[in-house]
Amino acid sequence: MIDTIRDAKSGAVTAEELDPFIDLAEEIGRLRSEKNAVILAHYYQDPEIQDIADFVGDSLDLSRRAADTDADMIVFCGVKFMAECAKILNPSKTVVLPDRDAGCSLEDSCTPDDFQSFRDAHPDHMAITYINCSAEVKALSDIIVTSSSAEGIILQIPKNQPILFAPDKHLGRFLARQTGRDLTLWPGTCIVHEQFNERELVKLSVRHPGAKIAAHPECPEEILRHADHVGSTRSLLEYVTTCDASEFIVATEQNIIHQMEKGAPGRTFIAAPGADGKCDCASCPYMAKNNMEKLYLALLNEAPGIEMPEELRLRALKPLQRMLDMSAAKTASQNAA
Ligand code: 13P
Ligand code: SF4
């Protein structure tokens, strides 16, 4: 696998050297304007990172923002595949990720060699790949999708075209049902969404009979079948702010509850439980690697940065650009209708 992370140069400031009394929020603000940087954050980031970011969004909206920005530096507070997308779309900009080890279990489940063998075994199939994968796997794919763009994109593919879907089997199964298409699935899963427990979820909803269940499609089928709404992080946020229920059980990474509370004050949000009945399993250990200190150091040191061979970037750009074009085409046709 190609390592797309460029580490800090020798002599860069380390966490141990940081003045413990520094006002991180103030210093981040100062460096951001000094360096003409933009801070993009996913809904799964710590609340204090979400609050300092210029833009908080789901994977699709973050990719769009990264493609459109006129900043010189993009500080991507999310995981590596997201920062890689920003670099693929914006090669001339400096793209930094606060922690070089902020990965993703879905990306890890699908190595480029294994993915190539999957493609070779199905030569007549088109490969539609979830954005949660490495730049190398993107480069081997035909179209990239996110959870908010996937359904609309699959519906634009001719019905007689067989499709491979990787790497999330739960999202793939959900999409197959939504679109009526027979997708051949890669067996990857998200370690966070996989931990929600059906029995405990049912027990919780019995205790909260009025609560609506909002779930991300990376959840297993036995969780999704209890959901009142299934969608991307942005879609879940829209649901809880527009639905007139006053209580919600949220089956996705729990930091999104911070935005839900901001968008729908006065409503109650309960994180979906794991097998022990507790609500603390829904934390993504990769997203949690980023913190305010590392965000400050990434801005200061301009590292860890994303870098990749131009040949790889160009191959990964094609299916990523296709997603942006096809999701824009769908939005345009919806607006015209
Ligand atoms: P969204 O595209 O819905 O933000 O999902 C990203 C992700 O990693 C979910 O686990
Ligand atoms: Fe990957 Fe799951 Fe974390 Fe999303 S929540 S980044 S899919 S490990």
Side-chain angles (χ1 to χ4, degrees), residues 42 44 78-79 81-82 102-107 130 132 168 189-193 216 218 252-253 283-287:
H42 190 268
Y44 294 169
V79 290
F81 74 80
M82 297 176 177
C104 171
S105 66
L106 285 167
E107 173 180 345
Y130 192 31
N132 298 37
D168 188 343
T189 57
C190 161
I191 52 164
V192 178
H193 292 84
H216 195 278
E218 287 176 13
T252 193
E253 217 278 353
S283 171
C284 174
Y286 303 102
M287 291 275 182

Side-chain angles (χ1 to χ4, degrees), residues 7-22 24 98 291-304:
D7 285 313
K9 292 194 185 108
S10 67
V13 179
T14 63
E16 294 69 41
E17 290 163 350
L18 258 188
D19 173 358
F21 296 106
I22 193 173
L24 286 170
N291 57 34
M292 290 284 278
E293 217 170 75
K294 291 178 193 171
L295 164 50
Y296 167 71
L297 288 172
L299 257 168
L300 182 71
N301 295 329
E302 303 187 12

Side-chain angles (χ1 to χ4, degrees), residues 25-65:
E26 197 177 303
E27 287 304 303
I28 288 168
R30 184 181 61 76
L31 284 175
R32 164 169 45 196
S33 48
E34 230 173 75
K35 299 195 175 199
N36 187 29
V38 66
I39 301 173
L40 303 181
H42 190 268
Y43 294 123
Y44 294 169
Q45 289 290 282
D46 281 350
E48 53 184 349
I49 294 185
Q50 294 187 38
D51 288 345
I52 208 169
D54 296 289
F55 178 75
V56 189
D58 73 354
S59 307
L60 179 63
D61 289 336
L62 287 167
S63 297
R64 286 177 170 150
R65 280 292 169 132

Side-chain angles (χ1 to χ4, degrees), residues 242-263:
T242 51
C243 171
D244 56 13
S246 59
E247 257 191 328
F248 296 88
I249 297 173
V250 180
T252 193
E253 217 278 353
Q254 59 198 1
N255 278 332
I256 195 175
I257 291 178
H258 177 62
Q259 288 296 325
M260 292 177 166
E261 285 170 341
K262 282 170 88 171

Side-chain angles (χ1 to χ4, degrees), residues 200-328:
E200 294 300 327
L201 177 66
V202 171
K203 279 161 64 181
L204 184 64
S205 49
V206 168
R207 290 203 301 277
H208 297 268
K212 299 281 185 199
I213 300 177
H216 195 278
E218 287 176 13
C219 292
E221 170 59 30
E222 68 266 21
I223 297 297
L224 295 184
R225 70 167 156 252
H226 298 283
D228 296 288
H229 181 77
V230 179
S232 72
T233 50
R234 185 213 320 144
S235 163
L236 298 181
L237 200 52
E238 281 165 5
Y239 174 67
V240 304
T241 49
T242 51
C243 171
D244 56 13
S246 59
E247 257 191 328
F248 296 88
I249 297 173
V250 180
T252 193
E253 217 278 353
Q254 59 198 1
N255 278 332
I256 195 175
I257 291 178
H258 177 62
Q259 288 296 325
M260 292 177 166
E261 285 170 341
K262 282 170 88 171
R267 295 185 186 178
T268 304
F269 301 99
I270 309 164
D276 58 359
K278 295 204 187 111
C279 296
D280 55 4
C281 65
S283 171
C284 174
Y286 303 102
M287 291 275 182
K289 287 193 177 289
N290 296 330
N291 57 34
M292 290 284 278
E293 217 170 75
K294 291 178 193 171
L295 164 50
Y296 167 71
L297 288 172
L299 257 168
L300 182 71
N301 295 329
E302 303 187 12
I306 304 288
E307 245 146 53
M308 67 186 75
E310 181 62 0
E311 169 274 332
L312 169 62
R313 188 190 73 80
L314 289 172
R315 282 194 297 124
L317 176 62
K318 255 196 212 166
L320 193 56
Q321 189 60 52
R322 244 177 236 144
M323 169 183 82
L324 294 176
D325 296 344
M326 290 176 84
S327 55

Side-chain angles (χ1 to χ4, degrees), residues 107-150:
E107 173 180 345
D108 294 345
S109 78
C110 189
T111 67
D113 285 351
D114 290 346
F115 186 69
Q116 182 63 63
S117 308
F118 185 52
R119 290 224 65 173
D120 292 345
H122 303 87
D124 56 338
H125 284 55
M126 163 183 270
I128 297 192
T129 308
Y130 192 31
I131 196 164
N132 298 37
C133 66
S134 65
E136 283 178 277
V137 166
K138 287 188 177 71
L140 296 169
S141 304
D142 295 306
I143 309 175
I144 299 304
V145 293
T146 63
S147 51
S148 55
S149 62

